[in-house]
Amino acid sequence: MPEVRFTVRWPDDSVSDCYSPSTVIHDYLQAGASYPLDDFMTRSRTALHLASERVRLKYGYACSSAMDQLLRLEARAVSYQAHSAATVTIVALQP
């Protein structure tokens, strides 16, 4: 499966390099776009679950790397939830 690496900039200007096992992430996130934190997390959850499911359909098992990535995003997002205007920017999507 074609994997995608993507870089996000958090509200504190720190960046995280992220992974999706499928190009489905391109349907949910766009390079250069900024998303309100809740929207970013909804998009990420949907995309990474779909990516994991694509792996399951092809190989017979879910992608633990996609779920691990989602857990890291979830853990990071918690620290910004108190900020109502928090946004996440997609710095890059690399196929």
Side-chain angles (χ1 to χ4, degrees), residues 4 68 74 77:
V4 176
D68 289 345
E74 297 276 7

Side-chain angles (χ1 to χ4, degrees), residues 27-49:
D27 295 342
Y28 293 88
L29 301 175
Q30 181 179 8
S34 293
Y35 302 97
L37 180 64
D38 288 343
D39 185 32
F40 168 73
M41 290 309 303
T42 297
R43 289 169 179 268
S44 296
R45 283 182 203 106
T46 302
L48 290 169
H49 279 288

